[in-house]
Amino acid sequence: MKVPIADLRSEIGAVKTVQSQVLLADLAAELCESAPEGVLHVKVTVTNTGAGFVVNGHIQGAVQMVCARCLEHFLCPVETDFQVLYRRQPVTDPERWAKGHEETNEQEDDVYFQGDVLDVAPAIWEHLLLALPMKPLCREDCLGLCPVCGQRCEDGDCGCDVENVDPRLAVLKDIME
Ligand SMILES: [Zn+2]
Ligand SMILES: [Zn+2]
């Protein structure tokens, strides 16, 4: 997702808002090998602060994930906000600039750009990954899989005698089979 900022350049305090529907596959195309399916609604507000362009973003959407308990694919809702400062990278004397840049205490999150377009895709991707659950569950109370036969408990009673099975034995039984 790219945001042109030529129209904000001349006036400090100038603001604009851009909204876009982003397919995860398109977003991730340049950033990683493969991406899960999903659609995001992204709204970014760009402000010329003089020091750079502050992007305040809001991400809302759904990403296909695998439930950690029952291993089913499901659409995981996601919603998060982010803020990134884009600083213009001086084109003259980049070596000297790089040196000076190391010595200043700028924020780690700051991004450097050239030209008149901000590429906000990496920021969206990064903050999306942070917002996704480490242990995704299709439902908070997902019953998972039967420890005996491996059937999804959501699919009904498989008739297994779950009460009397030591989970360690169940694993052994799987191996034997
Ligand atoms: Zn589940
Ligand atoms: Zn079972």
Side-chain angles (χ1 to χ4, degrees):
M1 185 177 172
K2 295 192 161 63
V3 184
I5 42 103
D7 47 340
L8 302 178
R9 208 173 34 187
S10 58
E11 188 194 336
I12 291 175
V15 180
K16 83 169 182 186
T17 299
V18 179
Q19 294 196 53
S20 182
Q21 186 166 301
V22 181
L23 289 176
L24 216 55
D26 294 342
L27 178 71
E30 296 166 23
L31 303 166
C32 68
E33 295 272 305
S34 66
E37 281 181 41
V39 181
L40 305 175
H41 302 277
V42 180
K43 181 177 167 184
V44 293
T45 301
V46 185
T47 309
N48 180 352
T49 65
F53 295 86
V54 170
V55 170
N56 284 290
H58 182 75
I59 303 169
Q60 194 231 321
V63 177
Q64 192 173 79
M65 300 195 82
V66 175
C67 176
R69 276 191 205 143
C70 71
L71 310 179
E72 282 288 302
H73 288 267
F74 72 104
L75 276 179
C76 180
V78 62
E79 186 163 14
T80 190
D81 293 305
F82 65 92
Q83 186 180 65
V84 180
L85 175 61
Y86 290 79
R87 292 173 183 273
R88 188 174 291 283
Q89 180 173 345
V91 280
T92 52
D93 204 351
E95 251 172 61
R96 205 177 121 210
W97 173 80
K99 197 162 173 287
H101 165 54
E102 279 166 22
E103 286 158 8
T104 57
N105 55 350
E106 285 150 358
Q107 293 286 311
E108 240 179 74
D109 288 347
D110 293 357
V111 174
Y112 289 84
F113 75 101
Q114 294 177 344
D116 284 328
V117 176
L118 302 181
D119 182 6
V120 293
I124 295 170
W125 181 245
E126 183 191 330
H127 288 90
L128 173 71
L129 293 185
L130 290 173
L132 289 174
M134 299 283 279
K135 190 184 169 191
L137 295 177
C138 63
R139 276 186 5 210
E140 201 58 49
D141 58 349
C142 171
L143 297 172
L145 301 174
C146 167
V148 180
C149 71
Q151 181 184 311
R152 282 182 79 220
C153 298
E154 307 286 327
D155 295 341
D157 189 2
C158 52
C160 295
D161 187 0
V162 178
E163 295 294 309
N164 295 318
V165 173
D166 184 317
R168 287 164 297 180
L169 290 182
V171 172
L172 261 183
K173 183 173 165 287
D174 273 355
I175 295 168
M176 301 290 273
E177 279 171 357

